[in-house]
Amino acid sequence: MAVGLAGFAFGVTSAGSGLTVLQTCALSLLVFTGASQFALVGALAGGGNPFTAAAGAFFLGVRNAFYGLRLSQLLALPRAVRPFAAQWVIDETTAVALAQPTRRSVRIGFTVTGLTLYVLWNLTTLLGALGAEAIGDTDAWGLDAAGPAVFLALLAPMLRSTTERAVAGIAVVLGLGLLPVLPAGVPVLVAALAAPAVLWAEGRRRGRTDAGAQDDMPEEDR
């Protein structure tokens, strides 16, 4: 339901930025990643250059490639199927797939989530584009926040360890802190550096702990 509201909001926003119903629907059918779509139409609505707007949308979509690296291992799909499955690699399908305990449930979760969201996103995009004049200002309704809220609700229960919480916290600080100074999409990529940074610090800490333990051991036990 929340993603459907976001799709409706995109349809309204896209139509309001000057795109036709056909162009709006083509974006949802071919791109199918809400953040990139909102970034594109938002930049166009603000009078931005189409190439600059497309570049910002591209940078936001790059994160899906990182999701794909992990999902390719979990799903282990035949090569012929992977290009089609790649179309459904988004925030929500990744979160649902990662939460599953077995490969079978990973595939079921990914497929069901991808199929339902793809159909719903495109249907509500069409409805939003057709009803743009009736809904008015989407910012006043807050519909653009529905999609990210769903992802956060799925992600939050998975942050169990201190390391995972540290990665999430640093990523939030980097993403929000750099948002005013970097082009659209780039803060998301910079925030991804939180994971290797925390893992590097964790490795250093463990190395010092192990070295200290070795020093405390009697010489004959080393």
Side-chain angles (χ1 to χ4, degrees), residues 19-85:
L19 272 68
T20 66
V21 173
L22 181 60
Q23 290 171 328
T24 298
C25 291
L27 277 174
S28 284
L29 285 167
L30 301 176
V31 179
F32 186 52
T33 175
S36 295
Q37 293 178 227
F38 273 109
L40 177 63
V41 299
L44 293 177
N49 182 285
F51 294 102
T52 304
F58 171 79
F59 280 121
L60 277 174
V62 166
R63 74 190 189 283
N64 293 339
F66 294 101
Y67 296 161
L69 292 175
R70 179 59 177 146
L71 288 179
S72 65
Q73 299 174 343
L74 294 177
L75 293 169
L77 297 172
R79 290 185 179 273
V81 179
R82 291 181 185 179
F84 301 98

Side-chain angles (χ1 to χ4, degrees), residues 145-190:
V150 172
F151 178 67
L152 289 176
L154 291 168
L155 179 65
M158 300 176 64
L159 303 178
R160 299 186 180 94
S161 69
T162 302
T163 300
E164 291 167 345
R165 295 190 187 101
V167 170
I170 294 174
V172 168
V173 171
L174 288 174
L176 294 180
L178 296 174
L179 194 61
V181 296
L182 292 179
V186 177
V188 176
L189 299 181
V190 176

Side-chain angles (χ1 to χ4, degrees), residues 163 166 170 194-209:
T163 300
I170 294 174
V198 171
L199 291 175
W200 176 80
E202 183 72 9
R204 294 263 304 179
R205 185 186 67 80
R206 289 181 179 177
R208 289 195 298 268
T209 301

